[in-house]
Each structure stands twice: as structure tokens, then as C-alpha cells.
Amino acid sequence: MRHPERHTRRLWLRQWTEADLDALAEMDADPDVMRYIGDGSPGTRERTAAALARARAAWDERGYGLFAAEESVTGELIGWVGLAVPAYLPEIMPTVEIGWRLRRRSWGRGYATEAAREVLAFAFDEAGLDRVVSICHVDNHASARVMTKLGLTFDRTTRVPAHGQPVQVMALSREDYHS
């Protein structure tokens, strides 16, 4: 199966390669990047390698997944943006989540919004999804702003069962996306 690639004004959203592991592991090891992810612990290289393998496999299993986000001009991997099944939050299943994680030096440049807009178009127009959600820690105001810019609206506040972190869930239907 050929996995899609997307281009935005400044980014190349592409499939993962083994060569991405070093940059991805560096990003996941940054405590500031991981502050609102899971229980807030920085990632290890081993966990990142396992996550990378799962991200690559998801495309074949589901026909959608996480895109590696690379700056078009520099060729630098700045993080990821894409679609995943948020099994860690059973109360909202079945659903698909749009999410992103960027290296700290890429924050504040509008990359998350730019890439996520392209992924939403993919989700509704190519992957055929009827609804997507986005989930963030209640204190992650930067991600909440991105969700609002994308047109997602409040669905609920809840806690992740595995570690008790409070999260906000926002949602967008295909109908609302196209209106």
C-alpha cells in the first residue's frame, strides 16, 4: 500500500523512516515537550523506537496514521502530526484523534495549525472519517488554541484512567468541517 504524503506552505508531511529515530527520541526526551503527554515523563529511546514502529504499522492497519513533519526548507524533522486511535481514553471510543507533537524550537511558529489543517483535509476527504476528536491536558493552552483554530468544539473534560491526568476533549464532524 502506498502511504500518502502531503505538502503545506512550509512543511512536508511524510512517512516515517528508521533515520527519524534519533530526532524523534531527542524530542520525546525533552521534559518541556512531554510535560502534558501521558503522565508527563520524558520518553526513553526504547519507548520512542516502539512508538515509531507502531506509527509505521498503523498506516497499513488503518489507512491513516501519524505523519512525520519536516520543514521543507531545512529538511529538519520537527515532530509529527496525524491521526490515531485514542484507546487510552475508553469512554470516547470508538473514535479517531488528531494530534501533534513538535520539537520545542518549533513551537510558536504556527506549524501545528498548518499541518493539522492538512491532516483534517486528509481525514475527511481521503480517509473518509465522519468525526475526529483532539485531546489535550487541561493546562495545555497552546494545544487548546490550535484545536479552536481548527474549528473543533468542546466535547467534555475527563481523566485518563491510566494516570488520572485531566484532559479536555474537543471534536469536529465532517459536516461541520465542510460548512
PDB file of all heavy atoms in Angstrom, residues 65-81:
ATOM      1  N   GLY A  65      -2.663   7.478   9.858  1.00  0.00           N
ATOM      2  CA  GLY A  65      -1.700   7.400  10.958  1.00  0.00           C
ATOM      3  C   GLY A  65      -1.021   8.738  11.178  1.00  0.00           C
ATOM      4  O   GLY A  65      -1.545   9.786  10.801  1.00  0.00           O
ATOM      5  N   LEU A  66       0.149   8.671  11.768  1.00  0.00           N
ATOM      6  CA  LEU A  66       0.925   9.870  12.070  1.00  0.00           C
ATOM      7  C   LEU A  66       1.887  10.157  10.933  1.00  0.00           C
ATOM      8  O   LEU A  66       2.597   9.267  10.466  1.00  0.00           O
ATOM      9  CB  LEU A  66       1.718   9.674  13.365  1.00  0.00           C
ATOM     10  CG  LEU A  66       0.927   9.285  14.607  1.00  0.00           C
ATOM     11  CD1 LEU A  66       1.870   9.109  15.797  1.00  0.00           C
ATOM     12  CD2 LEU A  66      -0.159  10.307  14.913  1.00  0.00           C
ATOM     13  N   PHE A  67       1.911  11.404  10.506  1.00  0.00           N
ATOM     14  CA  PHE A  67       2.870  11.859   9.508  1.00  0.00           C
ATOM     15  C   PHE A  67       4.100  12.413  10.225  1.00  0.00           C
ATOM     16  O   PHE A  67       3.965  13.156  11.203  1.00  0.00           O
ATOM     17  CB  PHE A  67       2.292  13.015   8.693  1.00  0.00           C
ATOM     18  CG  PHE A  67       1.187  12.659   7.750  1.00  0.00           C
ATOM     19  CD1 PHE A  67      -0.139  12.764   8.152  1.00  0.00           C
ATOM     20  CD2 PHE A  67       1.465  12.262   6.454  1.00  0.00           C
ATOM     21  CE1 PHE A  67      -1.170  12.480   7.273  1.00  0.00           C
ATOM     22  CE2 PHE A  67       0.440  11.974   5.562  1.00  0.00           C
ATOM     23  CZ  PHE A  67      -0.888  12.069   5.977  1.00  0.00           C
ATOM     24  N   ALA A  68       5.274  12.119   9.703  1.00  0.00           N
ATOM     25  CA  ALA A  68       6.482  12.828  10.128  1.00  0.00           C
ATOM     26  C   ALA A  68       6.371  14.232   9.542  1.00  0.00           C
ATOM     27  O   ALA A  68       6.016  14.401   8.374  1.00  0.00           O
ATOM     28  CB  ALA A  68       7.723  12.130   9.602  1.00  0.00           C
ATOM     29  N   ALA A  69       6.639  15.256  10.351  1.00  0.00           N
ATOM     30  CA  ALA A  69       6.552  16.643   9.894  1.00  0.00           C
ATOM     31  C   ALA A  69       7.963  17.192   9.733  1.00  0.00           C
ATOM     32  O   ALA A  69       8.720  17.282  10.698  1.00  0.00           O
ATOM     33  CB  ALA A  69       5.753  17.488  10.893  1.00  0.00           C
ATOM     34  N   GLU A  70       8.292  17.546   8.518  1.00  0.00           N
ATOM     35  CA  GLU A  70       9.630  18.016   8.193  1.00  0.00           C
ATOM     36  C   GLU A  70       9.542  19.413   7.590  1.00  0.00           C
ATOM     37  O   GLU A  70       8.679  19.674   6.746  1.00  0.00           O
ATOM     38  CB  GLU A  70      10.238  17.040   7.172  1.00  0.00           C
ATOM     39  CG  GLU A  70      11.635  17.347   6.755  1.00  0.00           C
ATOM     40  CD  GLU A  70      12.167  16.283   5.799  1.00  0.00           C
ATOM     41  OE1 GLU A  70      12.240  15.106   6.188  1.00  0.00           O
ATOM     42  OE2 GLU A  70      12.502  16.658   4.652  1.00  0.00           O
ATOM     43  N   GLU A  71      10.423  20.295   8.033  1.00  0.00           N
ATOM     44  CA  GLU A  71      10.494  21.623   7.414  1.00  0.00           C
ATOM     45  C   GLU A  71      10.967  21.462   5.979  1.00  0.00           C
ATOM     46  O   GLU A  71      11.984  20.815   5.724  1.00  0.00           O
ATOM     47  CB  GLU A  71      11.485  22.521   8.155  1.00  0.00           C
ATOM     48  CG  GLU A  71      10.918  23.229   9.332  1.00  0.00           C
ATOM     49  CD  GLU A  71      11.911  24.206   9.943  1.00  0.00           C
ATOM     50  OE1 GLU A  71      13.128  24.047   9.780  1.00  0.00           O
ATOM     51  OE2 GLU A  71      11.434  25.137  10.601  1.00  0.00           O
ATOM     52  N   SER A  72      10.228  22.040   5.052  1.00  0.00           N
ATOM     53  CA  SER A  72      10.570  21.896   3.638  1.00  0.00           C
ATOM     54  C   SER A  72      11.926  22.509   3.298  1.00  0.00           C
ATOM     55  O   SER A  72      12.690  21.936   2.532  1.00  0.00           O
ATOM     56  CB  SER A  72       9.488  22.540   2.764  1.00  0.00           C
ATOM     57  OG  SER A  72       8.262  21.899   2.954  1.00  0.00           O
ATOM     58  N   VAL A  73      12.220  23.668   3.858  1.00  0.00           N
ATOM     59  CA  VAL A  73      13.453  24.372   3.505  1.00  0.00           C
ATOM     60  C   VAL A  73      14.687  23.705   4.110  1.00  0.00           C
ATOM     61  O   VAL A  73      15.678  23.484   3.425  1.00  0.00           O
ATOM     62  CB  VAL A  73      13.376  25.857   3.931  1.00  0.00           C
ATOM     63  CG1 VAL A  73      14.705  26.563   3.751  1.00  0.00           C
ATOM     64  CG2 VAL A  73      12.283  26.563   3.138  1.00  0.00           C
ATOM     65  N   THR A  74      14.618  23.352   5.399  1.00  0.00           N
ATOM     66  CA  THR A  74      15.807  22.825   6.085  1.00  0.00           C
ATOM     67  C   THR A  74      15.914  21.306   6.040  1.00  0.00           C
ATOM     68  O   THR A  74      16.991  20.763   6.245  1.00  0.00           O
ATOM     69  CB  THR A  74      15.801  23.240   7.568  1.00  0.00           C
ATOM     70  OG1 THR A  74      14.688  22.596   8.221  1.00  0.00           O
ATOM     71  CG2 THR A  74      15.720  24.744   7.724  1.00  0.00           C
ATOM     72  N   GLY A  75      14.793  20.610   5.815  1.00  0.00           N
ATOM     73  CA  GLY A  75      14.804  19.152   5.867  1.00  0.00           C
ATOM     74  C   GLY A  75      14.826  18.602   7.278  1.00  0.00           C
ATOM     75  O   GLY A  75      14.965  17.402   7.484  1.00  0.00           O
ATOM     76  N   GLU A  76      14.644  19.479   8.279  1.00  0.00           N
ATOM     77  CA  GLU A  76      14.674  19.056   9.677  1.00  0.00           C
ATOM     78  C   GLU A  76      13.339  18.439  10.089  1.00  0.00           C
ATOM     79  O   GLU A  76      12.275  18.997   9.811  1.00  0.00           O
ATOM     80  CB  GLU A  76      14.972  20.252  10.585  1.00  0.00           C
ATOM     81  CG  GLU A  76      14.949  19.893  12.056  1.00  0.00           C
ATOM     82  CD  GLU A  76      15.099  21.084  12.990  1.00  0.00           C
ATOM     83  OE1 GLU A  76      15.048  22.237  12.523  1.00  0.00           O
ATOM     84  OE2 GLU A  76      15.269  20.848  14.199  1.00  0.00           O
ATOM     85  N   LEU A  77      13.406  17.291  10.761  1.00  0.00           N
ATOM     86  CA  LEU A  77      12.213  16.699  11.349  1.00  0.00           C
ATOM     87  C   LEU A  77      11.841  17.543  12.564  1.00  0.00           C
ATOM     88  O   LEU A  77      12.633  17.678  13.498  1.00  0.00           O
ATOM     89  CB  LEU A  77      12.474  15.251  11.783  1.00  0.00           C
ATOM     90  CG  LEU A  77      11.263  14.554  12.402  1.00  0.00           C
ATOM     91  CD1 LEU A  77      10.236  14.193  11.333  1.00  0.00           C
ATOM     92  CD2 LEU A  77      11.693  13.305  13.150  1.00  0.00           C
ATOM     93  N   ILE A  78      10.654  18.127  12.534  1.00  0.00           N
ATOM     94  CA  ILE A  78      10.244  18.994  13.639  1.00  0.00           C
ATOM     95  C   ILE A  78       9.231  18.322  14.550  1.00  0.00           C
ATOM     96  O   ILE A  78       8.842  18.885  15.559  1.00  0.00           O
ATOM     97  CB  ILE A  78       9.689  20.340  13.136  1.00  0.00           C
ATOM     98  CG1 ILE A  78       8.418  20.138  12.311  1.00  0.00           C
ATOM     99  CG2 ILE A  78      10.759  21.106  12.366  1.00  0.00           C
ATOM    100  CD1 ILE A  78       7.586  21.398  12.156  1.00  0.00           C
ATOM    101  N   GLY A  79       8.787  17.106  14.190  1.00  0.00           N
ATOM    102  CA  GLY A  79       7.833  16.396  15.024  1.00  0.00           C
ATOM    103  C   GLY A  79       6.894  15.573  14.185  1.00  0.00           C
ATOM    104  O   GLY A  79       7.276  15.063  13.132  1.00  0.00           O
ATOM    105  N   TRP A  80       5.658  15.480  14.646  1.00  0.00           N
ATOM    106  CA  TRP A  80       4.650  14.715  13.914  1.00  0.00           C
ATOM    107  C   TRP A  80       3.285  15.354  14.082  1.00  0.00           C
ATOM    108  O   TRP A  80       3.045  16.096  15.028  1.00  0.00           O
ATOM    109  CB  TRP A  80       4.629  13.251  14.341  1.00  0.00           C
ATOM    110  CG  TRP A  80       4.382  12.985  15.798  1.00  0.00           C
ATOM    111  CD1 TRP A  80       5.323  12.697  16.750  1.00  0.00           C
ATOM    112  CD2 TRP A  80       3.122  12.961  16.489  1.00  0.00           C
ATOM    113  NE1 TRP A  80       4.723  12.510  17.968  1.00  0.00           N
ATOM    114  CE2 TRP A  80       3.378  12.657  17.838  1.00  0.00           C
ATOM    115  CE3 TRP A  80       1.797  13.169  16.086  1.00  0.00           C
ATOM    116  CZ2 TRP A  80       2.360  12.563  18.792  1.00  0.00           C
ATOM    117  CZ3 TRP A  80       0.789  13.073  17.037  1.00  0.00           C
ATOM    118  CH2 TRP A  80       1.082  12.762  18.374  1.00  0.00           C
ATOM    119  N   VAL A  81       2.416  15.013  13.167  1.00  0.00           N
ATOM    120  CA  VAL A  81       1.001  15.377  13.247  1.00  0.00           C
ATOM    121  C   VAL A  81       0.237  14.285  12.518  1.00  0.00           C
ATOM    122  O   VAL A  81       0.723  13.739  11.537  1.00  0.00           O
ATOM    123  CB  VAL A  81       0.730  16.779  12.650  1.00  0.00           C
ATOM    124  CG1 VAL A  81       0.907  16.783  11.157  1.00  0.00           C
ATOM    125  CG2 VAL A  81      -0.640  17.290  13.026  1.00  0.00           C
TER     126      VAL A  81
END
